[in-house]
Amino acid sequence: MSVLAVADHRRGELRGVSFELLTAGRELADAMDTELHAAVVSGDTDGFADELNRAGVDHVHAVEHGAEFNHDVYVQAVAALAGDLDAAVVLTPNSVNGLDYAPAVATRTGRTYVSDAIGLDHGDTLEVTREMYGSKVETTMEVSDGPYVVSIRGAEWPAAEGVGDAEISTFDADIDEDAIGATVNGFEEVGGGDVDIADAEFLVSVGRGIEEEENIALIEALAETTGATLSSSRPIVDNGWLAKNRQVGQSGKQVTPDVYLAVGISGAVQHVAGMKGADTIIAVNTDPNAPIFDIADYGIVGDLFDVVPALIEEFGGEAPSV
Amino acid sequence: MKVLVTVKEVAAVEDDFEISGTEIESTYLDYDLNEWDDYAVEEAVQLAEAGDDVEVVAVTIGPERAEETIRMALAKGADRAVRVWDDAIEDTELLDVETKARLLAAVVEDEDPELVFSGVQANDDSFGATGIALAETLGVQWAAVVNDLDTAGVLDEGVASVRRELEGGVEELTDVELPAVLTIQTGINEPRYASLRGIRQAQSKEIAPKSLDDLGLDADVVASSLDITAMYEPETESDAEYIEGDAGEQASGVADVLRDAGVVGE
Ligand SMILES: Cc1cc2nc3c(=O)[nH]c(=O)nc-3n(C[C@H](O)[C@H](O)[C@H](O)COP(=O)(O)OP(=O)(O)OC[C@H]3O[C@@H](n4cnc5c(N)ncnc54)[C@H](O)[C@@H]3O)c2cc1C
């Protein structure tokens, strides 16, 4: 028995969540009184394996196969390794690549799958804490029928530190090349263009609370009057109201301005991933329970259609009527 | 050619709500089509419009109430729908991923489509797993978090050339063989509004109910491994300073913060 944590990497680097997985995995392994194994599949497996040898890790397994993520390789490799180790829990990141292989590993190996855990424990059985309905509620659930595959949310556990004394070995997963039906042809950076919101020291950021495309003019006026750069949450870009290079968050830009003024943004985890490093966060939202207030330094519970025009006037501008 | 779209009616919670036991009281829930599925439906309808003789079938697991939402998919251009429901499903508090995949797989096996579109995740339980678990249950290819699909490749070459939206503004260019399940990300297209004509036509489109029996499954399939033991509002970690007063007072409070931070030139 063991807990097996599967690292995430891209273009030659382990992603940060890999080390968070080790912390979550060590805690869970302690609760289950068992060993923590880490695995890395593809890429610079030697280098990655050394990096994954952090305090608390008992064993690191390296599966050599190609340079980048391919879900067919991952599913085969992780299923084989989990079987070989008789792993009680396979831990994966709830990253975009995690979404692309973890459910398939669970299905192929007959394991129960739970995603996006923000808390883990093991008493009589596995206990997982996760959110539902956006971030409106948290639930704790008991998950019967192990073994399991569990994905964890990023930034919920601290990264594991310190050099460990793990045994490092390669694992021959005996990958069946004929069963690889996905071909990864390359990567492309998107969201370039006229402005880099990551350079701004003051961002005024607009979310779905703005309701209509016409109303964006109000936030543009605020940005102009205050000399701020305009950015947004994802739905504004999805709707085509602002260009992709304005999007803050997991799949957009990571920003660290002096001030981030969030207007009508709820503070979903994928958004927060892109802006939690701002020095000062100010949030305007009608919902006093909106998660954005959890990370805000200043909160304004109020209607943006009242507060924003007043703020424009405060700086001597004129609010467009929307 | 046939395209299947999995759709889900999801509940959104009002700003103020109450929890009783391990559920949100139903008066605080508003039901709608899952945001991601709206994009999945649009992607399927666009494929049908680009090709000859492409049938779009919407599939849902949901109670009778969900038919209203399913009609939205029909009004936007899906040809017909299948609704899976059963007393045994009704009695299950929270379906696990495996169950949803097995129920949908039974429908897919009946329908035998070349492509299945699912949403990346559902707004309510957000497992983000049904589509990929479905693909593996069926033994077909898949791609998760797709924000671009080459329609011509699907229609003419039998391959799905997709872009997967990774973190940090990076996209992965990937080809998968058909048949395949793709999980569709928001922003891949611009979902249309249902036209009045579409809404009228949807009234006469078929929504075929399917019980476990109809699908050749027995009640064991819905036994969930998930048991919700607690539901609560997350404790706020906020140490925000709240700026009170009317809008004018709040605005001047914000202005002070901005001036103190030195980001406005005054
Ligand atoms: C794989 C993946 C990647 C993602 N990547 C990103 C990303 O990079 N960036 C991102 O932002 N999201 C991302 N998302 C989406 C994310 O989950 C949320 O859906 C999104 O951030 C919500 O945007 P929002 O806060 O603007 O909208 P909502 O969550 O709808 O919030 C709107 C807010 O406005 C408030 N409001 C309404 N009216 C008013 C008013 N009159 N005055 C003041 N406040 C008002 C409401 O109370 C609410 O809190 C991603 C999701 C997935 C699955």
Side-chain angles (χ1 to χ4, degrees):
Chain A
M1 218 182 56
S2 61
V3 171
L4 175 64
V6 186
D8 223 19
H9 62 87
R10 177 172 311 142
R11 297 162 113 184
E13 277 181 53
L14 283 174
R15 301 187 63 245
V17 67
S18 305
F19 303 107
E20 298 162 19
L21 271 171
L22 300 179
T23 304
R26 185 65 258 168
E27 284 175 18
L28 188 61
D30 285 343
M32 300 174 79
D33 198 16
T34 185
E35 291 191 338
L36 172 63
H37 292 231
V40 59
V41 182
S42 307
D44 169 20
T45 43
D46 287 349
F48 292 158
D50 280 342
E51 277 190 77
L52 290 168
N53 180 14
R54 300 247 163 137
V57 180
D58 296 299
H59 202 132
V60 183
H61 306 269
V63 182
E64 293 166 6
H65 196 287
E68 294 290 346
F69 175 80
N70 177 305
H71 63 229
D72 291 314
V73 173
Y74 265 60
V75 174
Q76 289 190 46
V78 176
L81 185 56
D84 196 61
L85 297 173
D86 192 20
V89 184
V90 175
L91 279 187
T92 64
N94 198 47
S95 58
V96 175
N97 283 346
L99 292 173
D100 201 40
Y101 80 89
V105 170
T107 304
R108 188 167 300 181
T109 57
R111 291 162 173 263
T112 301
Y113 182 60
V114 184
S115 67
D116 206 18
I118 59 171
L120 286 172
D121 202 357
H122 197 283
D124 295 334
T125 184
L126 180 69
E127 288 166 29
V128 180
T129 304
R130 58 194 307 282
E131 293 183 339
M132 279 178 72
Y133 304 106
S135 299
K136 295 262 175 170
V137 297
E138 266 176 39
T139 57
T140 304
M141 45 182 84
E142 289 184 355
V143 194
S144 52
D145 291 336
Y148 312 98
V149 176
V150 180
S151 76
I152 68 159
R153 178 175 288 187
E156 290 292 327
W157 281 269
E161 312 264 356
V163 179
D165 53 5
E167 193 178 321
I168 298 179
S169 58
T170 52
F171 177 76
D172 181 5
D174 203 9
I175 303 290
D176 176 2
E177 301 285 341
D178 292 338
I180 299 176
T183 314
V184 179
N185 296 312
F187 300 99
E188 204 171 293
E189 313 262 353
V190 295
D194 56 331
V195 58
D196 188 352
I197 55 172
D199 291 340
E201 59 176 33
F202 178 21
L203 284 172
V204 168
S205 206
V206 57
R208 185 144 51 188
I210 197 72
E211 288 172 9
E212 311 260 340
E213 182 167 17
E214 296 82 74
N215 301 343
I216 299 275
L218 184 63
I219 310 300
E220 278 168 346
L222 175 61
E224 193 162 316
T225 311
T226 56
T229 302
L230 187 62
S231 61
S232 79
S233 67
R234 174 176 192 120
I236 304 300
V237 172
D238 282 345
N239 289 343
W241 299 348
L242 289 176
K244 173 83 186 166
N245 60 12
R246 302 282 173 168
Q247 182 181 319
V248 173
Q250 174 188 304
S251 47
K253 282 264 159 63
Q254 288 221 11
V255 298
T256 51
D258 295 343
V259 176
Y260 188 84
L261 174 56
V263 182
I265 292 177
S266 64
V269 23
Q270 296 92 347
H271 186 77
V272 169
M275 46 66 74
K276 59 173 187 279
D279 279 348
T280 300
I281 297 168
I282 312 173
V284 181
N285 199 304
T286 40
D287 177 5
N289 296 319
I292 191 79
F293 289 123
D294 287 349
I295 55 154
D297 301 288
Y298 297 93
I300 292 88
V301 178
D303 189 329
L304 74 90
F305 294 103
D306 299 328
V307 176
V308 173
L311 193 53
I312 293 171
E313 273 172 39
E314 187 75 30
F315 287 101
E318 202 178 318
S321 56
V322 294
Chain B
M1 175 173 171
K2 197 190 277 186
V3 181
L4 213 101
V5 192
T6 68
V7 294
K8 186 179 185 189
E9 182 186 71
V10 295
V13 184
E14 292 171 8
D15 285 356
D16 292 312
F17 62 93
E18 278 168 49
I19 296 169
S20 74
T22 55
E23 278 177 22
I24 293 176
E25 282 190 29
S26 56
T27 46
Y28 303 102
L29 300 176
D30 303 313
Y31 291 94
D32 205 347
L33 177 61
N34 179 40
E35 188 181 346
W36 280 264
D37 300 347
D38 199 16
Y39 290 86
V41 169
E42 178 65 32
E43 198 61 21
V45 172
Q46 288 189 9
L47 196 63
E49 288 169 346
D52 297 325
D53 213 15
V54 179
E55 187 185 25
V56 178
V57 183
V59 185
T60 193
I61 303 168
E64 207 171 340
R65 185 198 59 228
E67 292 206 352
E68 208 182 310
T69 300
I70 306 318
R71 289 242 182 259
M72 289 305 294
L74 295 173
K76 291 178 181 202
D79 297 297
R80 59 188 173 84
V82 174
R83 181 175 66 84
V84 178
W85 200 241
D86 201 287
D87 289 344
I89 304 177
E90 177 112 52
D91 292 340
T92 309
E93 184 182 30
L94 182 63
L95 294 179
D96 58 26
V97 172
E98 180 189 354
T99 305
K100 284 185 269 197
R102 289 179 69 180
L103 294 173
L104 293 170
V107 177
V108 174
E109 273 158 6
D110 274 357
E111 297 281 349
D112 201 21
E114 274 86 3
L115 257 182
V116 179
F117 293 144
S118 283
V120 166
Q121 63 175 38
N123 267 339
D124 49 6
D125 54 22
S126 300
F127 276 108
T130 304
I132 307 309
L134 170 62
E136 179 63 23
T137 304
L138 294 164
V140 302
Q141 263 301 326
W142 71 84
V145 194
V146 168
N147 72 352
D148 187 61
L149 170 66
D150 176 11
T151 312
V154 170
L155 295 171
D156 306 334
E157 288 151 45
V159 60
S161 294
V162 303
R163 285 170 177 259
R164 294 183 54 236
E165 183 198 77
L166 307 178
E167 290 85 358
V170 178
E171 296 180 346
E172 181 198 276
L173 283 61
T174 296
D175 292 344
V176 299
E177 297 163 356
L178 299 187
V181 180
L182 307 181
T183 73
I184 301 296
Q185 174 65 315
T186 58
I188 187 174
N189 53 39
E190 250 181 81
R192 70 195 67 194
Y193 291 98
S195 66
L196 281 174
R197 186 159 154 268
I199 292 170
R200 219 175 316 113
Q201 285 176 341
Q203 296 308 316
S204 55
K205 289 181 180 172
E206 178 192 26
I207 303 180
K210 296 268 185 202
S211 65
L212 293 180
D213 213 28
D214 295 334
L215 295 172
L217 298 168
D218 54 43
D220 299 351
V221 74
V222 297
S224 179
S225 5
L226 307 176
D227 178 22
I228 300 183
T229 51
M231 180 180 285
Y232 44 91
E233 289 190 55
E235 249 173 72
T236 171
E237 293 152 23
S238 174
D239 46 15
E241 182 180 317
Y242 285 89
I243 301 174
E244 314 281 350
D246 63 21
E249 289 159 340
Q250 290 177 322
S252 83
V254 174
D256 289 342
V257 174
L258 296 179
R259 289 190 189 102
D260 286 349
V263 291
V264 284
E266 264 187 293

